Amino acid sequence: MCGIVGYIGAREAQPILINCLKRLEYRGYDSCGIALLGETAEVHKDAIRIEALERSLQPNDSQAGIGHTRWATHGKPSGINAHPHTDCSGTIAVVHNGVIENFLQLREQLTSEGHTFRSETDTEVIPHLIEKYYKGDLEPAVLKALADIAGSYAFIAIRAGCDELVVARKDSPLIIGIGDKEYLVASDVPAVLDYTDRVIYLEDGDLATITQGTFKLTSNGKQIERTVHRVPWTMEEAQKAGYEHFMLKEIHEQPRAIQNTFAGYISALEPEIDLGIRKDIDFDNISIMACGTSYHAALVGKHAINKLVQIPVNVDMASEFNYSDTILGKSLVIVVTQSGETADSLKALKKAKELGCYTLVITNVVGSSATRIADDILYIKAGPEISVAATKSFVAQLIMLYLVALAHSAIDTRSRGSLLTELRQLPNRLYEILDREEEIAGHGKYLAGYDNIFFVARGINYPIALEGALKLKEISYIHAEGYAAGELKHGPFALLTLDTPVVAIAAKDNTYETLLANIKEMKARESPVIAIAEEGDAEIEQYVDFVVRVPKVDPLFSPVVNVTALQLLAYYTAKERGCPIDTPRNLAKSVTVE
Ligand code: M6R
């Protein structure tokens, strides 16, 4: 996830900006840059580490500037795509986090008005818009530019000749650190902690104009004041935003992550999806390959594509496909990989290409090996995932696979429209589950006392049972099995006792009644049963020991809410057992061996 910083005060800005950027390194980045305010906006940026940028700099006595660490989403990591971005004359410079959804239209419009663009980024439209509206005062020009922008942003703008930083926020975090006769701006608290522990958290719609000794804050045009908070965190606590583990932080980032995934692909007004991938590919089946959690996302994708596109879909574990005689035929091959570096998935991708298939990779990491091999790429834009256990990348993969299914679906515009409306509501549904964290934590404590646990479901939630079990085993070291609920009676029933709890996902779809029958069979074998069930389902209570409630959503999207509950369940079970949650034994974030 990109990081932005800004400084204005009585000291030299350059070393402070570099230090602030280093404090944001934990978020991951592929390029970085700074701009110093003087007679020009002096920009230094490249696809290099911050230390290398620092070594390349000459001393500079400017007392104001901005900086950025980029985690590429629009355009590959490169010096040109790195921030800060400038206008035509190079006097206005901007660093930005977020996604400008209408950047293509704005870019076209500005180009027709004579602006020249250098990068592939969405951000670059911001300095050009400010340039267009600049009439001698930076703040009004920024306000006019904001009126043209649709999407999310946290940005800082500077202009040579104006001794000020103008900062604005909508749907992307931004704080102002208040030091002694100096101000710092950043996307995250750790960036400023070496200089101050007094911060203001900006809200959506806020715009601040900051000079060396003054600071004016407006919200939707009206001057306001916001509380100055004292941050009680150490640097490490701050990097986790106060969460005990990155995994928990990343689960909490899921609503935002999935908003980023669909932003840019779904039109704000029409029920249309434009994935920006080739549309003229001739295929009569889809073959998806992936590993681990990504494989579970692929299995959900199969259900979604089968339902909406009605085309044969085959899902293979990449590691198995590589040594199989699977016949691909006229297939569109989709490889799903968060890191884009998993050796088994890369091998499968290469094999599919050699077999003459058109290949599409769904990944989180711009410029990863998979993106250099595949014919087409879809980025899930979940932001860097630090915990070994995949969480937000999984839900973002689900959203992307739903978009692929919807984009190729033959359903009528109205049905597509209502599914897209539901999809847009999913972030809010996830917030509702996060509100129940304490209750889920209680169930986690209970499960922590067992050594063997089954996760069962049917239909589109069967892969979520697999994922729930994988999450639990990888971080809590409890032996867990994901099973199709109807399969337990074909063998695993022999293991069901009072000491073998079952977590059953009871989605209200065409599998519900049969699943209830399966739960009764499990109870007859004395297994404690925890159900994951939607609100309003009163029936389930009479058959199970505990119910974890999830919000009601279209059954197609129920995997997104169910898995979030299971991730929290796994997290709190592992926490109760005192496990090193972010770095489980024997595992690596990216598995680069076969
Ligand atoms: O980067 P990838 O999505 O290709 O990684 C695949 C698996 O190694 C990964 O999902 C793994 O299963 C996770 N640690 C699960 O939490």
Side-chain angles (χ1 to χ4, degrees), residues 281 283 285-290 314 321 327-336 345 348-353 355-362 374-376:
I281 305 303
F283 58 91
N285 73 84
I286 295 178
S287 205
I288 317 182
M289 290 135 202
N314 180 54
F321 168 77
I327 297 164
L328 287 176
K330 230 162 64 177
S331 315
L332 166 66
V333 169
I334 305 178
V335 171
V336 186
S345 302
L349 187 56
K350 286 181 195 149
K351 182 175 167 186
K353 272 196 91 165
L355 290 171
C357 297
Y358 193 78
T359 55
L360 169 67
V361 67
I362 294 182
D375 297 300
D376 237 326

PDB file of all heavy atoms in Angstrom, residues 281 283 285-290 314 321 327-336 345 348-353 355-362 374-376:
ATOM      1  N   ILE A 281     -10.860 -13.171 -27.288  1.00  0.00           N
ATOM      2  CA  ILE A 281     -10.268 -14.505 -27.140  1.00  0.00           C
ATOM      3  C   ILE A 281     -11.355 -15.564 -27.346  1.00  0.00           C
ATOM      4  O   ILE A 281     -12.433 -15.482 -26.757  1.00  0.00           O
ATOM      5  CB  ILE A 281      -9.648 -14.673 -25.734  1.00  0.00           C
ATOM      6  CG1 ILE A 281      -8.640 -13.555 -25.466  1.00  0.00           C
ATOM      7  CG2 ILE A 281      -9.002 -16.032 -25.558  1.00  0.00           C
ATOM      8  CD1 ILE A 281      -7.541 -13.450 -26.473  1.00  0.00           C
ATOM      9  N   PHE A 283     -12.586 -19.077 -26.600  1.00  0.00           N
ATOM     10  CA  PHE A 283     -12.385 -20.235 -25.723  1.00  0.00           C
ATOM     11  C   PHE A 283     -13.734 -20.892 -25.444  1.00  0.00           C
ATOM     12  O   PHE A 283     -14.782 -20.234 -25.496  1.00  0.00           O
ATOM     13  CB  PHE A 283     -11.699 -19.834 -24.403  1.00  0.00           C
ATOM     14  CG  PHE A 283     -12.428 -18.790 -23.605  1.00  0.00           C
ATOM     15  CD1 PHE A 283     -13.360 -19.151 -22.648  1.00  0.00           C
ATOM     16  CD2 PHE A 283     -12.209 -17.433 -23.819  1.00  0.00           C
ATOM     17  CE1 PHE A 283     -14.039 -18.195 -21.900  1.00  0.00           C
ATOM     18  CE2 PHE A 283     -12.886 -16.472 -23.083  1.00  0.00           C
ATOM     19  CZ  PHE A 283     -13.803 -16.845 -22.119  1.00  0.00           C
ATOM     20  N   ASN A 285     -13.921 -23.260 -22.756  1.00  0.00           N
ATOM     21  CA  ASN A 285     -13.895 -23.684 -21.354  1.00  0.00           C
ATOM     22  C   ASN A 285     -12.851 -22.870 -20.615  1.00  0.00           C
ATOM     23  O   ASN A 285     -11.998 -22.236 -21.243  1.00  0.00           O
ATOM     24  CB  ASN A 285     -13.593 -25.183 -21.238  1.00  0.00           C
ATOM     25  CG  ASN A 285     -12.159 -25.489 -21.555  1.00  0.00           C
ATOM     26  OD1 ASN A 285     -11.292 -25.385 -20.697  1.00  0.00           O
ATOM     27  ND2 ASN A 285     -11.874 -25.849 -22.812  1.00  0.00           N
ATOM     28  N   ILE A 286     -12.971 -22.886 -19.292  1.00  0.00           N
ATOM     29  CA  ILE A 286     -12.004 -22.142 -18.474  1.00  0.00           C
ATOM     30  C   ILE A 286     -11.305 -23.121 -17.551  1.00  0.00           C
ATOM     31  O   ILE A 286     -11.942 -24.015 -16.980  1.00  0.00           O
ATOM     32  CB  ILE A 286     -12.721 -21.051 -17.635  1.00  0.00           C
ATOM     33  CG1 ILE A 286     -13.333 -20.004 -18.574  1.00  0.00           C
ATOM     34  CG2 ILE A 286     -11.751 -20.377 -16.657  1.00  0.00           C
ATOM     35  CD1 ILE A 286     -14.114 -18.909 -17.865  1.00  0.00           C
ATOM     36  N   SER A 287     -10.000 -22.967 -17.450  1.00  0.00           N
ATOM     37  CA  SER A 287      -9.244 -23.818 -16.551  1.00  0.00           C
ATOM     38  C   SER A 287      -8.504 -22.924 -15.565  1.00  0.00           C
ATOM     39  O   SER A 287      -7.798 -22.005 -15.988  1.00  0.00           O
ATOM     40  CB  SER A 287      -8.252 -24.620 -17.393  1.00  0.00           C
ATOM     41  OG  SER A 287      -7.934 -25.791 -16.740  1.00  0.00           O
ATOM     42  N   ILE A 288      -8.743 -23.137 -14.272  1.00  0.00           N
ATOM     43  CA  ILE A 288      -8.105 -22.276 -13.268  1.00  0.00           C
ATOM     44  C   ILE A 288      -7.095 -23.085 -12.475  1.00  0.00           C
ATOM     45  O   ILE A 288      -7.363 -24.240 -12.106  1.00  0.00           O
ATOM     46  CB  ILE A 288      -9.136 -21.662 -12.283  1.00  0.00           C
ATOM     47  CG1 ILE A 288     -10.389 -21.171 -13.027  1.00  0.00           C
ATOM     48  CG2 ILE A 288      -8.515 -20.508 -11.497  1.00  0.00           C
ATOM     49  CD1 ILE A 288     -11.434 -20.510 -12.134  1.00  0.00           C
ATOM     50  N   MET A 289      -5.936 -22.486 -12.235  1.00  0.00           N
ATOM     51  CA  MET A 289      -4.894 -23.161 -11.455  1.00  0.00           C
ATOM     52  C   MET A 289      -4.394 -22.256 -10.348  1.00  0.00           C
ATOM     53  O   MET A 289      -4.265 -21.049 -10.553  1.00  0.00           O
ATOM     54  CB  MET A 289      -3.704 -23.516 -12.355  1.00  0.00           C
ATOM     55  CG  MET A 289      -4.016 -24.609 -13.333  1.00  0.00           C
ATOM     56  SD  MET A 289      -3.383 -24.141 -14.909  1.00  0.00           S
ATOM     57  CE  MET A 289      -4.375 -25.123 -15.991  1.00  0.00           C
ATOM     58  N   ALA A 290      -4.113 -22.845  -9.204  1.00  0.00           N
ATOM     59  CA  ALA A 290      -3.665 -22.050  -8.064  1.00  0.00           C
ATOM     60  C   ALA A 290      -3.194 -22.978  -6.959  1.00  0.00           C
ATOM     61  O   ALA A 290      -3.336 -24.208  -7.069  1.00  0.00           O
ATOM     62  CB  ALA A 290      -4.818 -21.189  -7.551  1.00  0.00           C
ATOM     63  N   ASN A 314     -12.811 -25.890 -15.051  1.00  0.00           N
ATOM     64  CA  ASN A 314     -12.045 -26.909 -14.356  1.00  0.00           C
ATOM     65  C   ASN A 314     -11.053 -26.205 -13.427  1.00  0.00           C
ATOM     66  O   ASN A 314     -10.483 -25.190 -13.812  1.00  0.00           O
ATOM     67  CB  ASN A 314     -11.297 -27.733 -15.405  1.00  0.00           C
ATOM     68  CG  ASN A 314     -10.470 -28.811 -14.781  1.00  0.00           C
ATOM     69  OD1 ASN A 314     -10.993 -29.606 -14.011  1.00  0.00           O
ATOM     70  ND2 ASN A 314      -9.188 -28.812 -15.066  1.00  0.00           N
ATOM     71  N   PHE A 321      -1.441 -30.109 -11.554  1.00  0.00           N
ATOM     72  CA  PHE A 321      -1.574 -29.887 -12.996  1.00  0.00           C
ATOM     73  C   PHE A 321      -0.225 -30.073 -13.700  1.00  0.00           C
ATOM     74  O   PHE A 321      -0.137 -30.647 -14.782  1.00  0.00           O
ATOM     75  CB  PHE A 321      -2.123 -28.469 -13.248  1.00  0.00           C
ATOM     76  CG  PHE A 321      -2.023 -28.030 -14.679  1.00  0.00           C
ATOM     77  CD1 PHE A 321      -2.921 -28.497 -15.639  1.00  0.00           C
ATOM     78  CD2 PHE A 321      -1.027 -27.142 -15.079  1.00  0.00           C
ATOM     79  CE1 PHE A 321      -2.819 -28.088 -16.965  1.00  0.00           C
ATOM     80  CE2 PHE A 321      -0.920 -26.738 -16.397  1.00  0.00           C
ATOM     81  CZ  PHE A 321      -1.813 -27.208 -17.343  1.00  0.00           C
ATOM     82  N   ILE A 327      -6.055 -32.375 -20.254  1.00  0.00           N
ATOM     83  CA  ILE A 327      -6.223 -31.855 -21.615  1.00  0.00           C
ATOM     84  C   ILE A 327      -6.864 -30.478 -21.508  1.00  0.00           C
ATOM     85  O   ILE A 327      -7.913 -30.304 -20.892  1.00  0.00           O
ATOM     86  CB  ILE A 327      -7.120 -32.802 -22.438  1.00  0.00           C
ATOM     87  CG1 ILE A 327      -6.412 -34.156 -22.552  1.00  0.00           C
ATOM     88  CG2 ILE A 327      -7.412 -32.224 -23.826  1.00  0.00           C
ATOM     89  CD1 ILE A 327      -7.298 -35.278 -22.978  1.00  0.00           C
ATOM     90  N   LEU A 328      -6.226 -29.493 -22.092  1.00  0.00           N
ATOM     91  CA  LEU A 328      -6.756 -28.148 -21.958  1.00  0.00           C
ATOM     92  C   LEU A 328      -7.687 -27.753 -23.109  1.00  0.00           C
ATOM     93  O   LEU A 328      -8.707 -27.131 -22.919  1.00  0.00           O
ATOM     94  CB  LEU A 328      -5.626 -27.131 -21.827  1.00  0.00           C
ATOM     95  CG  LEU A 328      -4.919 -27.154 -20.467  1.00  0.00           C
ATOM     96  CD1 LEU A 328      -3.750 -26.203 -20.444  1.00  0.00           C
ATOM     97  CD2 LEU A 328      -5.882 -26.814 -19.343  1.00  0.00           C
ATOM     98  N   GLY A 329      -7.351 -28.106 -24.313  1.00  0.00           N
ATOM     99  CA  GLY A 329      -8.204 -27.743 -25.455  1.00  0.00           C
ATOM    100  C   GLY A 329      -8.254 -26.244 -25.665  1.00  0.00           C
ATOM    101  O   GLY A 329      -7.283 -25.520 -25.430  1.00  0.00           O
ATOM    102  N   LYS A 330      -9.476 -25.756 -26.057  1.00  0.00           N
ATOM    103  CA  LYS A 330      -9.609 -24.312 -26.330  1.00  0.00           C
ATOM    104  C   LYS A 330      -9.936 -23.604 -25.009  1.00  0.00           C
ATOM    105  O   LYS A 330     -11.048 -23.130 -24.791  1.00  0.00           O
ATOM    106  CB  LYS A 330     -10.729 -24.098 -27.353  1.00  0.00           C
ATOM    107  CG  LYS A 330     -10.273 -23.202 -28.495  1.00  0.00           C
ATOM    108  CD  LYS A 330     -11.115 -23.258 -29.730  1.00  0.00           C
ATOM    109  CE  LYS A 330     -12.517 -22.784 -29.550  1.00  0.00           C
ATOM    110  NZ  LYS A 330     -13.351 -22.762 -30.720  1.00  0.00           N
ATOM    111  N   SER A 331      -8.957 -23.585 -24.125  1.00  0.00           N
ATOM    112  CA  SER A 331      -9.229 -23.083 -22.769  1.00  0.00           C
ATOM    113  C   SER A 331      -8.694 -21.675 -22.562  1.00  0.00           C
ATOM    114  O   SER A 331      -7.648 -21.309 -23.094  1.00  0.00           O
ATOM    115  CB  SER A 331      -8.531 -23.945 -21.715  1.00  0.00           C
ATOM    116  OG  SER A 331      -8.695 -25.297 -21.965  1.00  0.00           O
ATOM    117  N   LEU A 332      -9.437 -20.932 -21.750  1.00  0.00           N
ATOM    118  CA  LEU A 332      -8.863 -19.723 -21.165  1.00  0.00           C
ATOM    119  C   LEU A 332      -8.280 -20.198 -19.844  1.00  0.00           C
ATOM    120  O   LEU A 332      -8.990 -20.761 -19.005  1.00  0.00           O
ATOM    121  CB  LEU A 332      -9.953 -18.678 -20.913  1.00  0.00           C
ATOM    122  CG  LEU A 332      -9.549 -17.515 -20.003  1.00  0.00           C
ATOM    123  CD1 LEU A 332      -8.477 -16.655 -20.662  1.00  0.00           C
ATOM    124  CD2 LEU A 332     -10.757 -16.649 -19.649  1.00  0.00           C
ATOM    125  N   VAL A 333      -6.981 -20.003 -19.652  1.00  0.00           N
ATOM    126  CA  VAL A 333      -6.353 -20.469 -18.417  1.00  0.00           C
ATOM    127  C   VAL A 333      -6.158 -19.280 -17.475  1.00  0.00           C
ATOM    128  O   VAL A 333      -5.551 -18.270 -17.841  1.00  0.00           O
ATOM    129  CB  VAL A 333      -5.004 -21.157 -18.714  1.00  0.00           C
ATOM    130  CG1 VAL A 333      -4.226 -21.407 -17.427  1.00  0.00           C
ATOM    131  CG2 VAL A 333      -5.255 -22.474 -19.430  1.00  0.00           C
ATOM    132  N   ILE A 334      -6.729 -19.420 -16.283  1.00  0.00           N
ATOM    133  CA  ILE A 334      -6.584 -18.361 -15.276  1.00  0.00           C
ATOM    134  C   ILE A 334      -5.719 -18.896 -14.140  1.00  0.00           C
ATOM    135  O   ILE A 334      -6.020 -19.951 -13.576  1.00  0.00           O
ATOM    136  CB  ILE A 334      -7.959 -17.925 -14.706  1.00  0.00           C
ATOM    137  CG1 ILE A 334      -8.903 -17.494 -15.841  1.00  0.00           C
ATOM    138  CG2 ILE A 334      -7.791 -16.795 -13.695  1.00  0.00           C
ATOM    139  CD1 ILE A 334     -10.301 -17.083 -15.376  1.00  0.00           C
ATOM    140  N   VAL A 335      -4.646 -18.201 -13.842  1.00  0.00           N
ATOM    141  CA  VAL A 335      -3.809 -18.583 -12.701  1.00  0.00           C
ATOM    142  C   VAL A 335      -4.032 -17.541 -11.607  1.00  0.00           C
ATOM    143  O   VAL A 335      -3.925 -16.339 -11.849  1.00  0.00           O
ATOM    144  CB  VAL A 335      -2.322 -18.675 -13.103  1.00  0.00           C
ATOM    145  CG1 VAL A 335      -1.433 -18.848 -11.873  1.00  0.00           C
ATOM    146  CG2 VAL A 335      -2.133 -19.853 -14.069  1.00  0.00           C
ATOM    147  N   VAL A 336      -4.384 -18.034 -10.416  1.00  0.00           N
ATOM    148  CA  VAL A 336      -4.653 -17.129  -9.292  1.00  0.00           C
ATOM    149  C   VAL A 336      -3.485 -17.241  -8.311  1.00  0.00           C
ATOM    150  O   VAL A 336      -3.185 -18.332  -7.828  1.00  0.00           O
ATOM    151  CB  VAL A 336      -5.978 -17.502  -8.575  1.00  0.00           C
ATOM    152  CG1 VAL A 336      -6.313 -16.463  -7.502  1.00  0.00           C
ATOM    153  CG2 VAL A 336      -7.123 -17.608  -9.574  1.00  0.00           C
ATOM    154  N   SER A 345       2.645 -22.356  -9.289  1.00  0.00           N
ATOM    155  CA  SER A 345       1.713 -21.606 -10.141  1.00  0.00           C
ATOM    156  C   SER A 345       2.423 -21.062 -11.381  1.00  0.00           C
ATOM    157  O   SER A 345       1.856 -21.047 -12.475  1.00  0.00           O
ATOM    158  CB  SER A 345       1.087 -20.455  -9.348  1.00  0.00           C
ATOM    159  OG  SER A 345       0.439 -20.990  -8.221  1.00  0.00           O
ATOM    160  N   ALA A 348       2.785 -23.896 -13.816  1.00  0.00           N
ATOM    161  CA  ALA A 348       1.503 -24.181 -14.481  1.00  0.00           C
ATOM    162  C   ALA A 348       1.212 -23.140 -15.565  1.00  0.00           C
ATOM    163  O   ALA A 348       0.744 -23.468 -16.656  1.00  0.00           O
ATOM    164  CB  ALA A 348       0.375 -24.188 -13.442  1.00  0.00           C
ATOM    165  N   LEU A 349       1.523 -21.899 -15.246  1.00  0.00           N
ATOM    166  CA  LEU A 349       1.303 -20.806 -16.199  1.00  0.00           C
ATOM    167  C   LEU A 349       2.130 -21.035 -17.464  1.00  0.00           C
ATOM    168  O   LEU A 349       1.632 -20.920 -18.599  1.00  0.00           O
ATOM    169  CB  LEU A 349       1.700 -19.491 -15.506  1.00  0.00           C
ATOM    170  CG  LEU A 349       1.441 -18.170 -16.178  1.00  0.00           C
ATOM    171  CD1 LEU A 349      -0.029 -18.020 -16.526  1.00  0.00           C
ATOM    172  CD2 LEU A 349       1.858 -17.024 -15.236  1.00  0.00           C
ATOM    173  N   LYS A 350       3.378 -21.385 -17.262  1.00  0.00           N
ATOM    174  CA  LYS A 350       4.263 -21.617 -18.413  1.00  0.00           C
ATOM    175  C   LYS A 350       3.767 -22.816 -19.227  1.00  0.00           C
ATOM    176  O   LYS A 350       3.751 -22.777 -20.456  1.00  0.00           O
ATOM    177  CB  LYS A 350       5.699 -21.885 -17.943  1.00  0.00           C
ATOM    178  CG  LYS A 350       6.394 -20.615 -17.458  1.00  0.00           C
ATOM    179  CD  LYS A 350       7.823 -20.942 -17.028  1.00  0.00           C
ATOM    180  CE  LYS A 350       8.398 -19.792 -16.211  1.00  0.00           C
ATOM    181  NZ  LYS A 350       9.367 -20.211 -15.212  1.00  0.00           N
ATOM    182  N   LYS A 351       3.344 -23.864 -18.520  1.00  0.00           N
ATOM    183  CA  LYS A 351       2.885 -25.070 -19.227  1.00  0.00           C
ATOM    184  C   LYS A 351       1.649 -24.747 -20.067  1.00  0.00           C
ATOM    185  O   LYS A 351       1.556 -25.153 -21.225  1.00  0.00           O
ATOM    186  CB  LYS A 351       2.571 -26.182 -18.210  1.00  0.00           C
ATOM    187  CG  LYS A 351       2.123 -27.482 -18.849  1.00  0.00           C
ATOM    188  CD  LYS A 351       1.936 -28.577 -17.805  1.00  0.00           C
ATOM    189  CE  LYS A 351       1.193 -29.774 -18.402  1.00  0.00           C
ATOM    190  NZ  LYS A 351       0.872 -30.796 -17.428  1.00  0.00           N
ATOM    191  N   ALA A 352       0.730 -23.982 -19.491  1.00  0.00           N
ATOM    192  CA  ALA A 352      -0.489 -23.618 -20.227  1.00  0.00           C
ATOM    193  C   ALA A 352      -0.137 -22.803 -21.474  1.00  0.00           C
ATOM    194  O   ALA A 352      -0.725 -22.972 -22.540  1.00  0.00           O
ATOM    195  CB  ALA A 352      -1.429 -22.837 -19.321  1.00  0.00           C
ATOM    196  N   LYS A 353       0.835 -21.917 -21.322  1.00  0.00           N
ATOM    197  CA  LYS A 353       1.254 -21.111 -22.482  1.00  0.00           C
ATOM    198  C   LYS A 353       1.858 -22.008 -23.556  1.00  0.00           C
ATOM    199  O   LYS A 353       1.561 -21.871 -24.741  1.00  0.00           O
ATOM    200  CB  LYS A 353       2.279 -20.059 -22.051  1.00  0.00           C
ATOM    201  CG  LYS A 353       1.642 -18.771 -21.593  1.00  0.00           C
ATOM    202  CD  LYS A 353       2.624 -17.646 -21.549  1.00  0.00           C
ATOM    203  CE  LYS A 353       2.636 -16.905 -22.878  1.00  0.00           C
ATOM    204  NZ  LYS A 353       3.289 -15.605 -22.804  1.00  0.00           N
ATOM    205  N   LEU A 355       1.190 -24.960 -24.117  1.00  0.00           N
ATOM    206  CA  LEU A 355       0.122 -25.742 -24.753  1.00  0.00           C
ATOM    207  C   LEU A 355      -0.754 -24.868 -25.645  1.00  0.00           C
ATOM    208  O   LEU A 355      -1.766 -25.312 -26.176  1.00  0.00           O
ATOM    209  CB  LEU A 355      -0.729 -26.431 -23.675  1.00  0.00           C
ATOM    210  CG  LEU A 355      -0.019 -27.563 -22.918  1.00  0.00           C
ATOM    211  CD1 LEU A 355      -0.850 -28.043 -21.740  1.00  0.00           C
ATOM    212  CD2 LEU A 355       0.284 -28.732 -23.850  1.00  0.00           C
ATOM    213  N   GLY A 356      -0.401 -23.604 -25.752  1.00  0.00           N
ATOM    214  CA  GLY A 356      -1.088 -22.716 -26.697  1.00  0.00           C
ATOM    215  C   GLY A 356      -2.320 -22.030 -26.136  1.00  0.00           C
ATOM    216  O   GLY A 356      -3.121 -21.460 -26.887  1.00  0.00           O
ATOM    217  N   CYS A 357      -2.496 -22.058 -24.810  1.00  0.00           N
ATOM    218  CA  CYS A 357      -3.693 -21.421 -24.238  1.00  0.00           C
ATOM    219  C   CYS A 357      -3.455 -19.943 -23.998  1.00  0.00           C
ATOM    220  O   CYS A 357      -2.325 -19.514 -23.758  1.00  0.00           O
ATOM    221  CB  CYS A 357      -4.026 -22.061 -22.893  1.00  0.00           C
ATOM    222  SG  CYS A 357      -4.437 -23.775 -23.060  1.00  0.00           S
ATOM    223  N   TYR A 358      -4.540 -19.187 -24.013  1.00  0.00           N
ATOM    224  CA  TYR A 358      -4.461 -17.781 -23.619  1.00  0.00           C
ATOM    225  C   TYR A 358      -4.464 -17.754 -22.097  1.00  0.00           C
ATOM    226  O   TYR A 358      -5.320 -18.376 -21.457  1.00  0.00           O
ATOM    227  CB  TYR A 358      -5.650 -16.990 -24.171  1.00  0.00           C
ATOM    228  CG  TYR A 358      -5.435 -15.498 -24.045  1.00  0.00           C
ATOM    229  CD1 TYR A 358      -4.603 -14.827 -24.939  1.00  0.00           C
ATOM    230  CD2 TYR A 358      -6.035 -14.772 -23.028  1.00  0.00           C
ATOM    231  CE1 TYR A 358      -4.379 -13.468 -24.818  1.00  0.00           C
ATOM    232  CE2 TYR A 358      -5.811 -13.409 -22.897  1.00  0.00           C
ATOM    233  CZ  TYR A 358      -4.989 -12.768 -23.800  1.00  0.00           C
ATOM    234  OH  TYR A 358      -4.757 -11.421 -23.686  1.00  0.00           O
ATOM    235  N   THR A 359      -3.529 -17.039 -21.504  1.00  0.00           N
ATOM    236  CA  THR A 359      -3.381 -17.090 -20.044  1.00  0.00           C
ATOM    237  C   THR A 359      -3.651 -15.720 -19.403  1.00  0.00           C
ATOM    238  O   THR A 359      -3.235 -14.692 -19.909  1.00  0.00           O
ATOM    239  CB  THR A 359      -1.962 -17.546 -19.647  1.00  0.00           C
ATOM    240  OG1 THR A 359      -1.013 -16.681 -20.267  1.00  0.00           O
ATOM    241  CG2 THR A 359      -1.700 -18.973 -20.049  1.00  0.00           C
ATOM    242  N   LEU A 360      -4.349 -15.799 -18.283  1.00  0.00           N
ATOM    243  CA  LEU A 360      -4.699 -14.603 -17.526  1.00  0.00           C
ATOM    244  C   LEU A 360      -4.261 -14.841 -16.087  1.00  0.00           C
ATOM    245  O   LEU A 360      -4.568 -15.892 -15.519  1.00  0.00           O
ATOM    246  CB  LEU A 360      -6.222 -14.421 -17.593  1.00  0.00           C
ATOM    247  CG  LEU A 360      -6.872 -13.393 -16.665  1.00  0.00           C
ATOM    248  CD1 LEU A 360      -6.455 -11.982 -17.043  1.00  0.00           C
ATOM    249  CD2 LEU A 360      -8.401 -13.506 -16.747  1.00  0.00           C
ATOM    250  N   VAL A 361      -3.536 -13.894 -15.505  1.00  0.00           N
ATOM    251  CA  VAL A 361      -3.153 -14.074 -14.102  1.00  0.00           C
ATOM    252  C   VAL A 361      -3.930 -13.083 -13.238  1.00  0.00           C
ATOM    253  O   VAL A 361      -4.124 -11.930 -13.615  1.00  0.00           O
ATOM    254  CB  VAL A 361      -1.626 -13.942 -13.904  1.00  0.00           C
ATOM    255  CG1 VAL A 361      -1.125 -12.531 -14.158  1.00  0.00           C
ATOM    256  CG2 VAL A 361      -1.233 -14.336 -12.483  1.00  0.00           C
ATOM    257  N   ILE A 362      -4.407 -13.581 -12.101  1.00  0.00           N
ATOM    258  CA  ILE A 362      -5.058 -12.724 -11.102  1.00  0.00           C
ATOM    259  C   ILE A 362      -4.086 -12.645  -9.938  1.00  0.00           C
ATOM    260  O   ILE A 362      -3.797 -13.658  -9.283  1.00  0.00           O
ATOM    261  CB  ILE A 362      -6.410 -13.322 -10.654  1.00  0.00           C
ATOM    262  CG1 ILE A 362      -7.376 -13.315 -11.850  1.00  0.00           C
ATOM    263  CG2 ILE A 362      -6.984 -12.540  -9.471  1.00  0.00           C
ATOM    264  CD1 ILE A 362      -8.761 -13.842 -11.537  1.00  0.00           C
ATOM    265  N   ALA A 374       2.227 -14.089 -18.113  1.00  0.00           N
ATOM    266  CA  ALA A 374       0.829 -14.209 -18.573  1.00  0.00           C
ATOM    267  C   ALA A 374       0.521 -13.268 -19.738  1.00  0.00           C
ATOM    268  O   ALA A 374       1.164 -12.233 -19.906  1.00  0.00           O
ATOM    269  CB  ALA A 374      -0.107 -13.914 -17.408  1.00  0.00           C
ATOM    270  N   ASP A 375      -0.488 -13.651 -20.525  1.00  0.00           N
ATOM    271  CA  ASP A 375      -0.902 -12.793 -21.642  1.00  0.00           C
ATOM    272  C   ASP A 375      -1.687 -11.589 -21.146  1.00  0.00           C
ATOM    273  O   ASP A 375      -1.677 -10.534 -21.757  1.00  0.00           O
ATOM    274  CB  ASP A 375      -1.785 -13.597 -22.611  1.00  0.00           C
ATOM    275  CG  ASP A 375      -1.013 -14.753 -23.229  1.00  0.00           C
ATOM    276  OD1 ASP A 375      -0.001 -14.484 -23.887  1.00  0.00           O
ATOM    277  OD2 ASP A 375      -1.415 -15.920 -23.013  1.00  0.00           O
ATOM    278  N   ASP A 376      -2.428 -11.771 -20.076  1.00  0.00           N
ATOM    279  CA  ASP A 376      -3.242 -10.677 -19.553  1.00  0.00           C
ATOM    280  C   ASP A 376      -3.174 -10.712 -18.025  1.00  0.00           C
ATOM    281  O   ASP A 376      -2.894 -11.770 -17.444  1.00  0.00           O
ATOM    282  CB  ASP A 376      -4.700 -10.842 -20.004  1.00  0.00           C
ATOM    283  CG  ASP A 376      -5.169  -9.616 -20.765  1.00  0.00           C
ATOM    284  OD1 ASP A 376      -4.725  -8.507 -20.410  1.00  0.00           O
ATOM    285  OD2 ASP A 376      -5.983  -9.774 -21.695  1.00  0.00           O
TER     286      ASP A 376
END
